[in-house]
Amino acid sequence: MFVLVTYDVNITSPLGQNRLRQVAKTCLNYGKRVQNSVFECVLTEAQFVLLKDKLSEIISQSDDSICFYKLGNNWKRHVERIGKDTSVDVTDVLIL
Amino acid sequence: MFVLVTYDVNITSPLGQNRLRQVAKTCLNYGKRVQNSVFECVLTEAQFVLLKDKLSEIISQSDDSICFYKLGNNWKRHVERIGKDTSVDVTDVLIL
């Protein structure tokens, strides 16, 4: 399942800046950053539940917002990009 | 058709700050801002083509990036939110 994660964290306080770092760090464990606060993740249902739980614990429920957009398995046909291409296919094999 | 628009504009130059304002202004004509650089739009195919053209003209192809994620008509079932809810249903009737 392809899930797009987008977030806005209120960084007007030092606590907010810390939350922002933690949200990004957590998302990096589950997918790929394509823009500042946008991550593309390919997840199982269990991983998705886990990710939401972890992010829920990090953010301030009143100040921050996170949205999850689920695009299903044929997600590549539903994504278009213009400008600088920041995508590396999250399902491609990475040869290290 | 529901289209999510996310963007990153390089604002290290005054030109970039101007592009950022124009991108946001253009997106506001087509949908609703749910996060800083995330817009939810319900568009016809023609409107989508027009929006892409306008944004393509505004951005720097080498410095900025815009992604379009199409979620189809049953989009509400594919969106989840945690934290501060920034959504107003873009298909709801607005009584002014």
Side-chain angles (χ1 to χ4, degrees):
Chain A
M1 169 172 60
F2 176 95
V3 180
L4 186 79
V5 184
T6 71
Y7 56 80
D8 256 3
V9 174
N10 183 326
I11 55 169
T12 51
S13 70
L15 281 177
Q17 281 149 21
N18 188 41
R19 292 197 308 270
L20 181 63
R21 275 191 299 272
Q22 285 187 54
V23 165
K25 217 170 120 193
T26 302
C27 288
L28 274 173
N29 290 332
Y30 288 85
K32 187 181 62 65
R33 178 177 243 161
V34 290
Q35 290 173 345
N36 263 337
S37 51
V38 177
F39 282 75
E40 293 181 1
C41 310
V42 177
L43 306 171
T44 63
E45 197 59 50
Q47 288 170 324
F48 182 38
V49 170
L50 213 57
L51 175 59
K52 283 187 290 184
D53 282 352
K54 287 182 180 178
L55 294 176
S56 283
E57 279 167 27
I58 295 169
I59 63 167
S60 154
Q61 297 292 329
S62 55
D63 294 332
D64 309 332
S65 83
I66 301 183
C67 298
F68 304 93
Y69 299 91
K70 294 173 281 186
L71 268 77
N73 294 327
N74 293 321
W75 59 278
K76 289 179 195 167
R77 290 187 306 138
H78 303 300
V79 181
E80 293 185 39
R81 304 176 203 277
I82 56 175
K84 191 174 67 171
D85 187 354
T86 56
S87 77
V88 159
D89 186 334
V90 288
T91 52
D92 258 355
V93 175
L94 280 182
I95 299 169
L96 303 176
Chain B
M1 168 172 59
F2 176 94
V3 179
L4 186 78
V5 184
T6 71
Y7 56 80
D8 256 5
V9 173
N10 183 325
I11 54 168
T12 51
S13 72
L15 281 178
Q17 280 149 21
N18 188 42
R19 291 197 308 270
L20 181 64
R21 274 191 299 273
Q22 283 187 55
V23 166
K25 216 169 122 195
T26 301
C27 289
L28 275 174
N29 290 332
Y30 287 85
K32 188 181 62 65
R33 177 177 246 163
V34 290
Q35 289 172 344
N36 264 336
S37 52
V38 177
F39 281 76
E40 294 182 1
C41 310
V42 177
L43 306 171
T44 63
E45 196 61 48
Q47 288 169 325
F48 182 39
V49 171
L50 213 56
L51 175 59
K52 283 187 290 185
D53 282 351
K54 285 182 180 178
L55 294 175
S56 284
E57 279 169 28
I58 294 169
I59 63 168
S60 155
Q61 297 291 330
S62 57
D63 295 332
D64 308 332
S65 84
I66 300 184
C67 299
F68 303 93
Y69 300 90
K70 294 173 280 185
L71 267 76
N73 295 326
N74 294 319
W75 59 278
K76 290 180 196 168
R77 289 187 306 138
H78 303 300
V79 180
E80 292 185 41
R81 305 175 201 277
I82 56 175
K84 190 173 70 172
D85 187 354
T86 56
S87 77
V88 157
D89 187 336
V90 288
T91 53
D92 259 354
V93 176
L94 278 181
I95 299 168
L96 304 175

